[in-house]
Amino acid sequence: MSIPDKKICWITATYFLDVDLPVVPPLMRWFDIDWTIITTPLQIADDSAYIKSKTDCSHTMLCAPARFYSPALHSFFKKLIKSSSSRHYDLYYFDISDFLFLFPLVKRYLPVEKVVIATHNVIVPKGARLAPLARISMSYIIRNFRNFQTFSRNQYNAMRLRKPDANIFYSPLMLKDYGNAGMKQPLGHKPVKFLFFGNVVKYKRLDVLLEAVKILIARGRRDFRIYICGYCDKSVWQKEYLPAITDTSLFELDIRRIPNDKVAEYFNTCHYFLMPYQDIAQSGAMTVALNYNMPVIASDLPTFHEFLTPDHDAYFFTPGNATALADTMQRCLDNTPEEYARLKANLNATVNSRLAPDAIINNYKEFLKNFNNA
């Protein structure tokens, strides 16, 4: 192994740990990376177990003293950034969302030309959590920094429009692997199981899915189950979504932040992954589905076309149209085992050609190697 040619400070927030965990350890073969993971008291045990299950690489775990996005984190961030500054790294990489408490400190204490920021939502999705603050924060980042990473072509293009002279690195998300929790049942076993996974926020349009279920019930179809697994604010869940579930026997509900050791169980239990989104920058949840070779039912949005092809390895439907989603789900209910096998085989080929891990790691390697503080 050659001597690392760059010393890198890499900071990851707990909510992006699954993005960076497949990336940072392999990169340590070529670069001297000091990896810091910012977690929370509630997440530290789960994060530690997740990391241990994947790698024994060197890293530092810091527990934030307040909730993310809280102004109370200012002193915590200030200490972290000043400590990083004293080490005189060649490059500082941040994979963390922040609402104006971290990045002003980054600008003040670090050489801006050496800072790279992972920008997951250059265009903040409509209905995203704390969307107004997120837009203000992204505007600040774009005005004050010039080295960015994006994870989809549409966000790359959006960044290019917003800052034409930016230095932008594009690479798709790595597949997210949470281990093997048993083999998926073949399609011939009824009921057919559909999975909606991840934080329940407005732009993901769970309301459209719940309306589609009502349509299927009205058509006399009951040969399916809907798994809804992910965090939702309790008051929002009880007010906006729970009343729309008219037949609880057709649902499996796990409304919480899903522990890492439970993720594989759900993806190996279900047959199709549902993404009725109205807007999307890129989807981490989709990369989990692709890792487990689960065919996707998605809104017909440009980002999904970057990775999937309708009727080849996925099914698309008109965004926001519950009848169109019900029609697509009914098609899945009526699929033959041969058609399901065809979808899965095509999806596997798509993953191998577009999301090969070695190719993605090489993208990162070349970017970091050639980074010249331009």
Side-chain angles (χ1 to χ4, degrees), residues 129-178:
R129 180 171 173 262
L130 302 176
L133 287 175
R135 293 189 184 99
I136 293 171
S137 177
M138 184 55 62
S139 294
Y140 178 88
I141 288 169
I142 292 173
R143 284 197 311 272
N144 290 282
F145 299 90
R146 68 174 307 272
N147 301 308
F148 306 103
Q149 177 176 0
T150 64
F151 299 90
S152 67
R153 285 291 179 190
N154 76 318
Q155 294 301 287
Y156 174 92
N157 293 335
M159 180 65 79
R160 185 62 70 199
L161 284 173
R162 295 186 68 173
K163 190 151 189 170
D165 64 341
N167 176 31
I168 311 171
F169 166 52
Y170 160 72
S171 187
L173 294 167
M174 292 276 281
L175 297 183
K176 298 181 181 181
D177 183 8
Y178 290 87

Side-chain angles (χ1 to χ4, degrees), residues 229-246:
C229 306
Y231 173 79
C232 184
D233 179 84
K234 185 177 181 180
S235 62
V236 172
W237 175 257
Q238 292 180 340
K239 180 180 179 181
E240 298 186 17
Y241 299 112
L242 188 59
I245 298 176
T246 56

Side-chain angles (χ1 to χ4, degrees), residues 46-86:
D46 196 34
D47 287 346
S48 297
Y50 183 37
I51 294 170
K52 186 176 180 180
S53 72
K54 298 297 179 183
T55 181
D56 59 357
C57 77
S58 174
H59 64 278
T60 300
M61 190 86 74
L62 297 181
C63 204
R67 294 184 58 158
F68 279 101
Y69 315 132
S70 168
L73 287 181
H74 182 272
S75 60
F76 170 79
F77 283 143
K78 184 175 181 179
K79 182 178 179 181
L80 173 63
I81 298 306
K82 291 186 73 173
S83 174
S84 300
S85 175
S86 69

